[in-house]
Amino acid sequence: MKRILTAAFAGAVLAAACSDPVPNPTPTPVQPTLTETFTGSLAPLATNSHPFVVQNVGGVVVTLTSVDPKAKLSIAVGTPSTTTGLCIAINPVTTDPGPQPQLTGTTSVKGPFCLAVSDVGNITESTSYTVTVLHS
């Protein structure tokens, strides 16, 4: 009898070990509600990084609102490098400033992110800018 129980227990353990794990539920993205405004002075061919923290999985909206003197700049959202402190940007967009968002997306994780603002050869002197990031 003891052998039968041992065999039945071993079979149950093996069956459980071979079953597919239950995946964690995917979080439902929330609407962005936190607004952060970043300003800076950008030198020719330079990149500035601005950190921000996403509290919930959800939307991110970036608007390059002003550049003085007016010029096209590159903006991108990325992750901060733990070794250099720079922003590791993903899918940069070169754009004119304006009231409409130039970048929109959804974060799939919470945590530290950053905004990279770069000159791609369009400015010849130090240039002031303002960027608004709306996130959750």
Side-chain angles (χ1 to χ4, degrees), residues 14-105:
L14 285 174
C18 293
S19 66
D20 289 333
V22 176
N24 290 333
T26 303
T28 303
V30 298
Q31 291 297 315
T33 57
L34 302 173
T35 301
E36 295 194 51
T37 301
F38 301 107
T39 60
S41 181
L42 187 65
L45 300 177
T47 298
N48 290 351
S49 180
H50 301 280
F52 62 95
V53 177
V54 170
Q55 304 295 321
N56 296 293
V57 170
V60 175
V61 179
V62 181
T63 307
L64 177 63
T65 57
S66 68
V67 177
D68 184 30
K70 190 173 180 180
K72 286 187 177 197
L73 297 181
S74 173
I75 56 173
V77 172
T79 55
S81 168
T82 56
T83 56
T84 64
L86 297 176
C87 187
I88 302 169
I90 303 167
N91 297 325
V93 172
T94 300
T95 184
D96 284 312
Q100 299 301 316
Q102 294 95 356
L103 282 177
T104 59

